[in-house]
Structure formats: C-alpha cells, structure tokens
Amino acid sequence: MSPPLLALRASAPRGFADLLARELEGCGVSEVRERATGAAFLGTLESVYRACLWSRIANRVFVELARFDARDADEFHAAVREIDWAAHLAPGTTLACDFSGRHPAITHTHFGALKLKDGIVDTLRLATGARPDIALERPGVRVHAHAQGSAITVSLDLSGESLHRRGYRGAGGEAPLKENVAAGVLLRAGWPELAARGGELLDPLCGSGTFCIEAALIAADRAPGLRRDYFGFLGWRRHDAALWERLRAEAERRAAAAEAAALAAGVRVRGSDRDPPAIRGARDNAARAGVSALVRFETGLLAEAAPLAPREADRPGLLCANPPYGVRLADREGARTLHRELGEVLRERFQGWDAAVLTGAPELGMELGLRAHRTHRVWNGPIECRLLRIKVSPESAREPGTLGRGTAHLKDTPGARMFANRLAKNLKRLGSWAEREGVSCYRVYDADMPEYAFAIDSYRTLEPEDSWLCVQEYAAPKEIEPEAVHRRRGEVLAVLPETTGVPEERLRLRTRRRTRRGEQYGKLDRQARFRIVSEGGLKFYVNFEDYLDTGLFLDHRMTRARLREASHGKRFLNLFAYTGTATVYAAAGGAASTATVDLSRTYLDWAQRNLVLNGFTGAAHQLVQADCRGWLREAAQGAGRFDLIFLDPPTFSNSKRMEGVLDVARDHSELIDGCARLLSPGGLIVFSTNAQRFRLEDSLRERYEIQDVSAATLPKDFERNPRIHSCYEIRLPGGAGAKPGVPERRAARRGADVADGARFACAAAQFPQAATIAFPACSRIASASESE
C-alpha cells in the first residue's frame, strides 16, 4: 500500500522559487506548482523529510491541515476547533501559533494567533483533559494560519524555524547574507557544474564566510540540514523517528563519499577579507558546518585577490561576492570605490572566470566596468538586490561609472538637455519663492518628467556656502530595460552640478524602492555626520549620509506651522515622532508641555538634540520610547490629558520590537480612537499619512468632526504631487467651542485629580512611561513622595 500523500507548501526567498521547485522534484514530490515566494506540492512523509534535510533554498515547509472560510474571529475559532488536534499533539507537547495575511475582521496578527491558540487549547482540553504549554522558542509543534480575505489555511510548520539556519553560523555581523540566498546565488551561477569539473571558487569579501561554506556544502554533497538539531516535525505525533534516522544516515554516507571525491578532483574554495576577526569567525563557521577540509580562509585585501594558478580550460573558476551596500555601507563614495576596485581586479586577474556579484544598490553594479550577461532580481530578507552574472572577458569590459561620476559624455544628450531645462525653470520659479518666504530646504523636482523619475531636494545649511542636493530615484518598473534606467540616471547626475551650482561632492543619491515604509527610516551607516538647517525660525539637525531620510520631512512644513499656531498653552502629544520636529514647533508655539513618543531610541535622541538646539529643556518636555499602539492602549486610563495631538504613523511597519504589524490603511481607525480617548474637550487631533491612495474609514466621520486639510497643508514646492500626503483635523463631537469658565475648570480639575490618583497607581505598575505622561500631576506627587 502506498503511503498517503500530504498537501504541502514550501516558502523561499523571492527570486529563487524556480530553484526551489527543481529541488523539490529531486526529493520525490509530485504536482509541484511554483509561486512567487515558494511552491505547493504533494508528497509523502519521506519526501517531507528529504525536503527539510536537503533543500538549500527553502525557508519553511508546511503541511496543510484544513481550509475554510471564516467571516470573523468567532467563526475562525469554531473552525479551528473542528480539527482533530489530538492526532497532531501528544500530551506534554509544547505549542506555538502564528497568524499571517490579511483578513477583513481579524486585523491584527497577534490577535489571530491568540484565537488560533485558544481553538487548539480548547479542543485538546475537551479531548484529553489537559492543555499544552506554550513555547515561543523551539516548540514541539508550530501551527500557522494564513488568511487571504476570509479564506484561511491552517498548517503545521514542519521546519519549526527557518531552514536557512543551518546551525553553523556564529555571530553574523551586520547585515548578514542569509545562507539559502547564498546557496541560491551559487546555484544560479552554475557552481555545482563547476565543482564537478574540479573548479575553484573565491570570495574576496567573504565576511563570515557564507558563500564559501555553502559552496563547500554543495561540492561535498552535504545536506544543509544535517547539522541542525531542531525541526518542527520532531514533536509531531505523526513523526517517524526510524525513517528520519535512516535518511540522516544516508545523508552522512553521501557526504563522506562526495567530500573525498571533491578533494581528489582538486576542488578549491577560498575566502579572504581584510578583517581578521571576520576570518576567525568564518573558520569557526566552517568547522561547525563540517567543511573545514574543503575551505581555506585568509586575511587579505581585495586588491591582492588572484586565482591560485593560471587557468586551465578544463578547470574553471567562479568569483562570488556580496560587496557592502545599503545597511552595510551608506557612504556612496566608499561603495563606488569598492565596486570599481572589484571590477579592476576581475578585469586584470580573472579573465576566463565567471563572476556572480550580489548587490543591494543596483546603480553600483555599473561601477564594475563589466557587462552582466544575466541580471536577476532577488531578495536577501527584506532587501531587494540584483544578482549580476558576468563572464569575465575582454568583450564584457565597459567604461565604469554611471553614478554621476564619469558621465560627462551624457551632458549633451537630448534627454540631459531636456531635463536640465526643466530643472532650471523649477529653480527660477521656486528659488524666488523660497528666498521670499525664508525657506532654505525645499523640493526642486519631483518626477515632473515621468521618464526621469527622481525627487530632488535642496538643502542650505547654516554653514556658509554649504548647499546639498538629496536625489532620490524612484525604482523603475521591472518592464523598463536596465540600460535605459542607467542612462537616464547618468544624464540626471551629469547635469545637476552645473544646473544647480551644487558641487558634485555634495550630491547624495538614494534609490527609493517600492517597499514598505517600515523600511523607510532605516539607519544606513554609523558616521553620524549631522548638519544644521533652519525652518520657520527654528533649527534642526539633518543627516545626508547615514539614513534613507534626512530627518526633516519637507512636505510637512505647513503642517508643522499649523501645529505651532495651535499649541499655545496646550498639552501636546507627538506620536510616531521620528526626529521630533513637530514637537519643536509646538514648544516654540508656547505649548504648556510636550510628550514625544517613538519606538526608536535613535530618533528620540535625535529629537532631544533638536529640542536642546532650540532651547527647550526640562521636565515639561518628555520623551518616551515605546510602541505607540501599545502606549495608546495603556495610556487610555488618563483620558482628557492632551489638548493637541499629532499623529503621523508610517504607512507600514513590521519592526521586530513592535507588537504585530502596523498598516495605516487598516489600523488608522484604531489609532485615531486611541488618541480620542486621550483628548480633552475642545482638543484637536492632527492626523497625517503619506500612504498613497489613502481613504479615511467612513465610520470615523460618524464618531468625530473631521476636516480634510490636505490641500491646506500642501507646500508650494509639492504642488506637482498633491497626493504626497493626506492630512485631517479631528475633534470630538460638539467639543470645538465648549470652553468652561474658571470655576468650572477648577472644580473639574479637583475632581479629575482625585480620580487620576487612583488610576495612576494602577497604570504606573503596568506601564510607568505611559502613566507618567497620562498623569503628569500624579507623577510629580509620586516623585515627591518617593524623595521624602
């Protein structure tokens, strides 16, 4: 009798699904259906084990238990209870639950996971009289529910944790390359075929050695999961321990035989790096992976990289590199120099080799001075990258540089002249306006010509003759040929210095990909090079090198001015505060107190520097590091404690320190309701979002008085893009004009203080930062009592 077939699904990094499908077919599965982020297939328990043990590409492997429609959380809970959980969890097995996707009623993944857990626990308690313990790390069984609208799929995660964790990596350092991404690059580059011919692999920027170790695992036919001591199926009630041990023993025998063959064939895998601690870590990783005999790591400079011996026709070579980019190196001059050096080394010493270069800054690939015969879009975690496959030969050589340097030949092209004319007209029109209005930082170009999709901001700092241009390139649609993108970028950057008068060294280029805004505020470098600019008579620190954004959102200029006008004598709250520029404006407007809340310690420190720079210090200006959604829930006990609230959440955020995922299109109603609970009668909420195609939830207009002030807060330099943000002023119903007299206010204050005292004691125990902000009077009393 044939073993039963299971409905299975495997996930993979974007850009590698075809390689995953090919691997799965080699594991004996059937009916493989490739998807953007993985593959669905049918298989036996043995093929599941082989996939978990042998897949070099997969992230996770799931077995489907049930599919159903659920309109709300109650229907979801009831459907989960219909599954025979006792068939999957033995008594004493620990449990973890995950929820993902988008559901019309279950809008928070944490809540969805909680309802999933409740359904499982309730079923097991009824069936066995006992409930499983919850284990967030390495549970016996991990259950996953995924929603697509009201359709929900419930599965077991048989991998338990991502399969890219092979078990050999120590400290990965900053922005590590994921092991399955490295393996995918090697498979794309044809390393298995090169290794079979006794080829040589070199990574001259090896860091912790991921490319080299994965290359050795491939050459030695060593199963990537062989050194793992944890899989999700080990605690599954249907786990077949004897079958699993047989497959592991088979993998051990294959590895021993293949390693000996690779050594005999002369396969050579080498890594070098200028950082001695990185080399020590790479050697330790190779030892843990069991491939020390095949890999050699040495300390060395990129400029010294060379093949071991002159190339022979039947002994090919592959240079594989992941040059620093993005979060690893924001200094574009440093990145450009390194890419050019890598290109020079390839052209001078590696003729006849293949090269595979993975870069997270696609514009830097042109600095290699080598034409890629294939380019692939792939993702390393959340970072969109380009994999450049190059056959190093005289025919592949080209002139390095399209990053605005070495592009003088593009200055006189028709496209460059057309762009320069448009920019000159903008500068003439906006320059006189900026001079008249005293605006020193403004947008001079915003994709006015669609084929030149750039946003260009001009910054004049307080230093003499110190002007900067921040050039953001909107990522081109994939149907646009890379050559056209590179040419237009070169044309733009070639004419900017002459047209604007800003020298080349003070141009900063960023590529604004179509990613979630949660990634938008990421820190890129550690140089901490801050400069000071002025706006509205105030001063702010900006940074042109280290972050994707400078620290000053120019499209909020008029919104900040309105906050200053409304803040006199008010208790001001700034949520998702970023660098606190709105707080500075409110303090300058005479706010009685300010509270600045953000999850990032880095940005709160920046906000504090901005406050101090403008002379605002002391207990009246409090800064709180907290997840704003959680803070709002905890602070709700202090209803009526703020008169003016600025709410400017990111469009999307999935920070690991934040509870769940924030999606402003979905969650703005909850955020506004939370602010309203803290708003005093007659108070004002200013809600702003940069989400494109944003639509305010209709039910909010039934609960509050709302005025759309998007047009009124649109600065002149952003008039070409009226959808840059949406902005609303929100008031409690009937509260705008209700201003009690002095006796009434005093009586109300006395009554509120009594109530606050009781609530503060409770809130302070649970969430002290929120309690301090929500009940400032009580916190001062508490502090005084403690000091006595």
Side-chain angles (χ1 to χ4, degrees), residues 174-198:
E174 194 176 15
L177 176 66
K178 290 185 179 294
E179 293 88 334
N180 54 348
V181 173
V185 168
L186 292 164
L187 295 176
R188 282 258 186 262
W191 170 243
E193 295 78 15
L194 297 179
R197 294 164 55 193

Side-chain angles (χ1 to χ4, degrees), residues 524-698:
L524 299 178
D525 202 3
R526 297 181 175 178
Q527 302 302 316
R529 289 171 283 209
F530 288 89
R531 293 169 176 83
I532 300 174
V533 298
S534 66
E535 181 188 272
L538 301 169
K539 293 181 288 187
F540 299 99
Y541 285 104
V542 293
N543 189 303
F544 301 126
E545 285 90 359
D546 303 332
Y547 300 81
L548 282 171
D549 290 301
T550 64
L552 185 67
F553 290 136
L554 303 185
D555 66 296
H556 281 175
R557 189 186 309 116
M558 294 181 68
T559 306
R560 289 188 287 266
R562 290 169 73 98
L563 289 170
R564 173 161 57 184
E565 293 173 2
S567 64
H568 184 72
K570 304 293 176 56
R571 294 162 295 182
F572 175 72
L573 172 63
N574 187 3
L575 292 169
F576 302 97
Y578 189 40
T579 59
T581 54
T583 303
V584 174
Y585 265 83
S593 63
T594 67
T596 303
V597 186
D598 198 278
L599 184 59
S600 168
R601 183 73 256 168
T602 297
Y603 290 122
L604 282 179
D605 290 343
W606 197 335
Q608 185 172 36
R609 292 183 67 187
N610 280 334
L611 283 165
V612 172
L613 182 64
N614 290 277
F616 302 119
T617 59
H621 305 292
Q622 301 191 33
L623 298 104
V624 179
Q625 183 181 9
D627 173 4
C628 290
R629 285 192 299 178
W631 188 92
L632 277 173
R633 286 194 292 270
E634 297 293 343
Q637 298 177 76
R641 299 274 67 85
F642 294 99
D643 311 303
L644 178 61
I645 300 176
F646 182 47
L647 174 64
D648 180 32
T651 299
F652 188 96
S653 179
N654 57 356
S655 170
K656 293 180 180 179
R657 293 175 294 163
M658 186 179 70
E659 179 184 324
V661 173
L662 174 66
D663 183 342
V664 73
R666 180 192 65 196
D667 299 329
H668 68 275
S669 180
E670 174 199 349
L671 293 170
I672 290 170
D673 286 341
C675 290
R677 286 190 287 271
L678 298 178
L679 195 63
S680 64
L684 173 65
I685 300 170
V686 177
F687 166 62
S688 182
T689 176
N690 289 90
Q692 297 297 300
R693 296 183 294 277
F694 177 79
R695 176 173 177 153
L696 195 71
E697 186 177 307
D698 291 338

Side-chain angles (χ1 to χ4, degrees), residues 219-428:
D221 194 26
R222 178 176 287 274
L226 200 53
R227 292 299 175 101
R228 280 175 58 116
D229 59 2
Y230 171 70
F231 291 91
F233 56 73
L234 295 175
W236 187 25
R237 201 160 196 174
R238 297 183 183 179
H239 172 50
D240 186 337
L243 173 60
W244 172 241
E245 287 306 318
R246 176 171 68 80
L247 296 178
R248 279 180 50 84
E250 173 192 295
E252 290 280 11
R253 290 192 298 272
R254 280 179 57 174
E259 181 177 69
L263 290 170
V267 174
R268 291 164 288 193
V269 179
R270 295 185 298 129
S272 62
D273 199 284
R274 68 179 183 179
D275 183 17
I279 292 297
R280 289 194 294 271
R283 289 171 180 159
D284 291 342
N285 290 341
R288 283 188 287 267
V291 294
S292 293
L294 278 173
V295 184
R296 191 173 84 198
F297 291 107
E298 296 177 339
T299 303
L301 298 176
L302 172 60
E304 300 169 350
L308 280 175
R311 287 266 42 86
E312 302 170 15
D314 60 341
R315 296 179 70 84
L318 173 65
L319 186 145
C320 220
N322 176 214
Y325 60 81
V327 297
R328 292 175 61 188
L329 182 63
D331 184 344
R332 285 299 189 255
E333 285 302 317
R336 171 178 167 270
T337 299
L338 186 136
H339 279 73
R340 285 205 169 194
E341 184 178 5
L342 175 59
E344 290 171 5
V345 168
L346 281 166
R347 292 192 304 273
E348 290 176 8
R349 304 198 188 113
F350 291 86
Q351 291 291 321
W353 276 49
D354 288 341
V357 179
L358 183 68
T359 177
E363 65 273 12
L364 296 182
M366 299 298 287
E367 299 294 336
L368 294 170
L370 289 163
R371 187 184 303 276
H373 70 91
R374 287 294 304 275
T375 300
H376 305 269
R377 295 175 73 203
V378 300
W379 273 256
N380 179 29
I383 304 172
E384 181 182 345
C385 304
R386 294 293 187 276
L387 169 58
L388 309 176
R389 292 168 55 192
I390 302 166
K391 292 187 178 297
V392 185
S393 67
E395 292 75 25
S396 67
R398 61 183 301 162
E399 181 183 353
T402 58
L403 194 58
R405 286 71 175 171
T407 57
H409 63 288
L410 296 173
K411 289 174 61 176
D412 295 322
T413 64
R417 290 197 300 269
M418 183 170 58
F419 173 79
N421 289 338
R422 174 60 65 91
L423 183 60
K425 289 179 181 178
N426 287 358
L427 287 168
K428 182 177 180 180

Side-chain angles (χ1 to χ4, degrees), residues 489-509:
R489 181 188 304 124
E491 289 171 342
V492 167
L493 296 175
V495 302
L496 276 176
E498 182 177 329
T499 307
T500 65
V502 176
E504 181 178 291
E505 62 271 17
R506 294 208 288 270
L507 269 60
R508 291 295 178 263
L509 175 67

Side-chain angles (χ1 to χ4, degrees), residues 4-88:
L5 291 178
L6 304 170
L8 301 159
R9 176 172 55 88
S11 61
R14 292 180 68 90
F16 295 106
D18 60 319
L19 298 180
L20 172 66
R22 197 180 310 161
E23 280 189 328
L24 292 171
E25 290 170 350
C27 292
V29 309
S30 60
E31 297 186 29
V32 179
R33 300 178 302 283
E34 184 181 323
R35 297 173 177 172
T37 56
F41 54 99
L42 298 179
T44 63
L45 185 60
E46 179 174 339
S47 59
V48 167
Y49 288 164
R50 289 189 183 279
C52 288
L53 183 61
W54 281 98
S55 177
R56 303 184 190 279
I57 303 298
N59 282 325
R60 294 177 186 269
V61 177
F62 302 91
V63 58
E64 182 182 309
L65 301 184
R67 288 189 181 194
F68 49 79
D69 280 326
R71 292 173 296 179
D72 55 31
D74 291 337
E75 288 190 4
F76 174 50
H77 179 266
V80 170
R81 294 195 61 176
E82 293 297 316
I83 300 171
D84 182 9
W85 292 106
H88 302 288

